[in-house]
Amino acid sequence: MKKRSGIVLFGLFFAVCFFASCGKMQIEPNPPLQEVLIKYKLDNINAFAAADNGTAYMLCYTPSDDIFVSGNCMYRFDAEGEQTGEYLLSDYTQLTTIDVGEDEHTVYFTGQGMKPDLCLFALNAETSEVEELCAFPYFQNAKKVVYINGRVYVLGQQQWAYNTVDEAGDYNFVGGEKLVYYDINTKEIYNLGFEYPINIAAAKDDILAVLGYLETEGYCIMEYDPKKDAMQVRQRLEQFSFDNFAVCNNGDSLLYSYDINFGL
């Protein structure tokens, strides 16, 4: 792959805020911050996800003296921040990412169970049952899991890679990133064919947003449409400046964290 360089901090927005065409809005004064914040009294949160109804799931780790107990546990909270469930996952390791299904009580997560391979699991928050869906013998680590309309997209790494940025500020792809999805209906795994994916997020209309690198385009934000089974470049980037991101503002904007200055 050709070397990529340059360090320029920039803000990324896909469109001008749509409120500009909605006329003058009457907005009440901002309430005190403590009145709108919900605090979850948990430590060592490795991953979290939220359903559309406000239900939140937190994946936490508690150190254990027993080498056969991982110390992993998942908690469920309602929209008001009250705990409504606790699920021991002490038989599972390498739990790093989760997402919630459309029924709002199925939580998908990756990890190692009784098998040596990294697997995709589904936790039913109503029954506390965990089902193994599929195995990824080619992955050492899962970087991101995203559920969209009957598909669980998994961005995995073929080898562990913590430091993914080189001295020039470029993403070095030493983890061997690969993007696949598990179809809940067919129970099969499919490779999406993105050569250099970096991270993924759910967008509107069942679209998957993909941050990645193309030899012909450089760094860019792409959109994968499952109905058309097609990808298009949405926004070209001058260089690599962020990794984890979320799509917001009705699909027109991104919320992301900086890798260079660790800001949001």
Side-chain angles (χ1 to χ4, degrees), residues 138-176:
Y138 35 81
F139 285 157
Q140 292 292 325
N141 174 50
K143 188 174 180 180
K144 192 73 170 288
V145 169
V146 173
Y147 172 88
I148 303 177
N149 193 25
R151 292 182 175 184
V152 185
Y153 296 90
V154 179
L155 176 61
Q157 295 178 313
Q158 298 177 57
Q159 63 182 18
W160 281 94
Y162 294 101
N163 183 16
T164 57
V165 183
D166 63 21
E167 295 180 355
D170 289 330
Y171 196 89
N172 56 28
F173 297 100
V174 295

Side-chain angles (χ1 to χ4, degrees), residues 18-58:
F18 63 88
F19 290 115
S21 61
C22 297
K24 187 68 175 178
M25 297 179 63
Q26 298 297 325
I27 302 176
E28 295 296 328
N30 293 330
L33 188 60
Q34 61 268 24
E35 294 183 9
V36 297
L37 280 179
I38 294 178
K39 295 183 179 180
Y40 301 95
K41 298 179 180 180
L42 298 173
D43 296 322
N44 301 321
I45 300 176
N46 287 340
F48 60 89
D52 290 339
N53 66 353
T55 301
Y57 294 88
M58 309 284 175

Side-chain angles (χ1 to χ4, degrees), residues 23 25 51 70 134 225 229:
M25 297 179 63
S70 70
C134 64
D225 187 340
D229 192 26

Side-chain angles (χ1 to χ4, degrees), residues 174-194:
V174 295
E177 285 77 3
K178 188 176 183 180
L179 180 55
V180 302
Y181 72 86
Y182 173 80
D183 190 297
I184 294 177
N185 293 323
T186 66
K187 303 185 185 302
E188 296 288 339
I189 303 172
Y190 301 87
N191 182 8
L192 280 177
F194 286 85

Side-chain angles (χ1 to χ4, degrees), residues 70-117:
S70 70
N72 289 309
C73 187
M74 192 178 298
Y75 299 89
R76 180 176 64 175
F77 296 85
D78 61 19
E80 287 71 40
E82 296 295 327
Q83 182 177 328
T84 58
E86 179 178 343
Y87 315 93
L88 294 178
L89 299 175
S90 56
D91 293 334
Y92 304 89
T93 59
Q94 293 186 212
L95 308 185
T96 57
T97 183
I98 62 176
D99 203 8
V100 186
E102 57 193 334
D103 60 9
E104 300 173 344
H105 66 256
T106 301
V107 184
Y108 299 96
F109 66 94
T110 57
Q112 283 186 327
M114 301 302 293
K115 299 179 181 179
D117 296 331

